[in-house]
Amino acid sequence: MWKLAAALMASCALPAGAHGADARCDFAAADAASAGAACQRAWMDQKLKLNDIVTVGTHNSYKTALPEAVLVRIRAIAPDDADAIDYAHRPLSEQLDAGVRQLEIDVYYDPQGGRFLDPAGLRAAGVALDPARKAALSEPGFKVMHIQNIDVLSSCTTLRACLGIVRRWSLAHRDHVPILLMFNAKTDPAPRSGGVAALPFDAAAFDALDREVRAVFPPQALITPDDVQGAYPTLREAVLHNAWPTLGQARGKMLFALDEGPAKVALYRGKRRSLEGRLFFVNTDEQSPAAAYLTLNDPVAEAERIRKAVAAGFIVRTRADAGTFEARRNDTRRRDAALASGAQFVSTDYIWP
């Protein structure tokens, strides 16, 4: 299913014995193949920018399978909802080993710790949390899960744990293509059946989120909005002038994006003209001074907008499938449209069949 993406990732691998640009490489060549077999990597690292790559990501990358007892209860009330959340991912490190270069993390603010210790949906189904997960949920800090009270079993329970997995993998594979970590800041209310509501994300929560990431990833491991903006008056102007780092400069690094609507994006930006001092790029419209990244999840309906955004220099994430709908029908039209759209990051729930 993902042979094209796998081929793209393989084409960026460092050839045996190659440790940098050979003086004999023809960097005036029209493409990497014309530069010669020994020079393809060096040509790509020098000539391509971060926004020139195409790679595959996963949606709700931390998510593991719901306990069957919970899924049965949901299916009895809302079969379509049960179908939509009936998928799971392997651990983050296995996804990265398979070539995934975009991960999606849902975070819940929990500064005191313990807010999500008693998921109502699991309690109603007679499912108990294991001791290690309970201990992690008791810690102060951001928690990672899909839907509080119901779909709470993640391969890494805390944000710090998830980030640590990615950081360790990156250090063990220092030559990797840059990885996008895309975040949703979850603020869901409590369901009618009981349970706890998510806390709101205010300016203090977003400040804490930036600090949490920076505690794991040092500056040299990050590509930030300030890195791209440079001396340009706005981030948008920098992007329109193709100021993204080269592939060679971006290898081994991470960039973070906040995939949220206007209200949360405005809170995260505050009174900044663009995103000065912030860690995350933000999902915003193409005219915003902070524009650099866009989430455009429907590659069929939004094909033209994706094409124009990529041509202008923006980075776009889209989705090859959603809610298990395409997978249950073996319908690849959305996937094909996503790969043809030009979007740099194409997300799926089905890296493996």
Side-chain angles (χ1 to χ4, degrees), residues 63-71 74 85-88 150-151 153:
K63 184 175 162 7
T64 65
L66 273 80
E68 185 62 26
V70 176
L71 194 61
I74 298 170
I85 58 175
D86 186 15
Y87 64 93
I150 299 169
D151 195 0
L153 302 184

Side-chain angles (χ1 to χ4, degrees), residues 128-305:
L129 292 175
D130 62 89
R133 194 178 303 274
K134 290 182 73 171
L137 287 170
S138 299
E139 299 172 6
F142 294 94
K143 303 306 186 295
V144 174
M145 64 188 84
H146 186 211
I147 304 168
Q148 90 275 21
N149 302 304
I150 299 169
D151 195 0
V152 302
L153 302 184
S154 307
S155 60
C156 42
T157 303
T158 67
L159 176 57
R160 186 67 69 97
C162 295
L163 294 175
I165 291 166
V166 178
R167 175 64 174 156
R168 290 189 293 275
W169 188 93
S170 177
L171 288 171
H173 304 81
R174 293 176 182 269
D175 200 48
H176 65 76
V177 167
I179 297 168
L180 170 66
L181 281 88
M182 192 185 78
F183 279 42
N184 294 139
K186 300 299 281 285
T187 54
D188 300 332
R192 276 179 274 180
S193 57
V196 298
L199 291 174
F201 265 80
D202 54 14
F206 281 126
D207 288 346
L209 186 60
D210 273 12
R211 289 195 300 270
E212 187 87 340
V213 174
R214 290 187 188 278
V216 177
F217 291 95
Q220 63 270 24
L222 297 169
I223 300 165
T224 68
D226 284 344
D227 294 331
V228 177
Q229 183 172 337
Y232 286 95
T234 68
L235 180 58
R236 178 179 183 271
E237 283 198 56
V239 167
L240 294 181
H241 286 88
N242 199 27
W244 294 103
T246 65
L247 178 57
Q249 293 167 336
R251 284 187 183 276
K253 296 186 178 184
M254 312 285 150
L255 65 158
F256 287 75
L258 182 64
D259 177 27
E260 285 296 347
K264 289 178 187 174
V265 165
L267 273 172
Y268 184 75
R269 281 181 69 189
K271 296 181 180 180
R272 296 166 180 83
R273 187 175 187 190
S274 294
L275 290 163
E276 292 81 4
R278 279 304 199 189
L279 173 74
F280 285 75
F281 295 88
V282 295
N283 176 37
T284 189
D285 68 88
E286 295 89 326
Q287 301 307 313
S288 169
Y293 163 87
L294 294 89
T295 298
L296 299 174
N297 280 333
D298 190 337
V300 178
E302 298 177 294
E304 183 63 11
R305 185 179 176 192

